[in-house]
Amino acid sequence: MSEHPGGPGSSTGPVRPHKPKPFAPIDFEPFAGGADPARVSEAAHLAAQALVRRGRESDDPEVTRRLVRLADEQGLESIAEMWAESPARSLPGALWRLYALRAATRSDPERISVYFKAGKDTAQVSHAVAGVAEPPGAEELTTMADAILSGAFDGDFDVALERSAAFCRVIALGQATLADSAEWSNSAHATKLTRNANQLVKTAEDLEASAKAWRRGQLD
């Protein structure tokens, strides 16, 4: 997080409110594989439940109104920041991963497309992602995430999570493939790609576990 412009001891101006940390979309590092705290705030769960379970229903309109008001006043970034502190295999944790995937993909679609193509080409030969859901392309992934995060998604949430996980696996496979190619010419870059690929596989596993919990009615 950047320091106040006046420096650590400065009193030259008002303290700025906390802002969400910017993403590093090339690396996928802000959301992949990080340790989650044991406790999740009630506000994070309320927002997640309102979006996914109650956002389109009329049984509890006050929940939806509170979410809309929060989103209007604070923005989706502030809501997502609460989700970032949630356990990976929880509803707000799953939504955080979708949010971060969308942000990363939208921020650098060209590079993500390179990873995706390399991963798809490798998967077709090696069947490395056989048995997982059909991965969406980058544009479809962002459209699907937009619908979920706006409360307008009317599809099967578990399928959306599994397809997002498949997207992670293809990107990870692409990064690993490119890491192998770069190993001799740029070992540092190859190591970074390999680390990021491993983190994305962990994210995919978390999303898949969340999808299974959703089907059991146990994703809270």
Side-chain angles (χ1 to χ4, degrees), residues 17 93 122 176 197 201:
T122 303
V201 170

Side-chain angles (χ1 to χ4, degrees), residues 20-134:
K21 296 173 67 175
F23 292 108
I26 306 304
D27 303 332
F28 287 92
E29 290 178 348
F31 66 95
D36 292 304
R39 300 182 62 185
V40 182
S41 73
E42 180 182 358
H45 279 276
L46 173 64
Q49 293 283 348
L51 278 174
V52 177
R53 296 183 189 274
R54 300 173 183 173
R56 302 183 306 274
E57 298 175 3
S58 59
D59 62 334
D60 196 350
E62 178 58 25
V63 172
T64 302
R65 281 196 295 270
R66 289 171 65 185
L67 174 65
V68 171
R69 185 165 60 248
L70 178 63
D72 287 344
E73 293 175 356
Q74 303 296 331
L76 182 58
E77 285 187 355
S78 295
I79 299 174
E81 190 177 17
M82 294 189 299
W83 296 337
E85 300 302 319
S86 303
R89 300 184 181 188
S90 68
L91 182 57
L95 290 181
W96 163 247
R97 282 151 181 77
L98 292 179
Y99 175 84
L101 273 174
R102 183 193 70 156
T105 303
R106 291 174 66 179
S107 295
D108 198 340
E110 291 82 8
R111 185 165 298 192
I112 301 309
S113 294
V114 170
Y115 293 151
F116 189 85
K117 184 179 186 302
K120 284 283 284 185
D121 290 347
T122 303
Q124 290 171 358
V125 174
S126 66
H127 305 291
V129 292
V132 303
E134 177 64 23

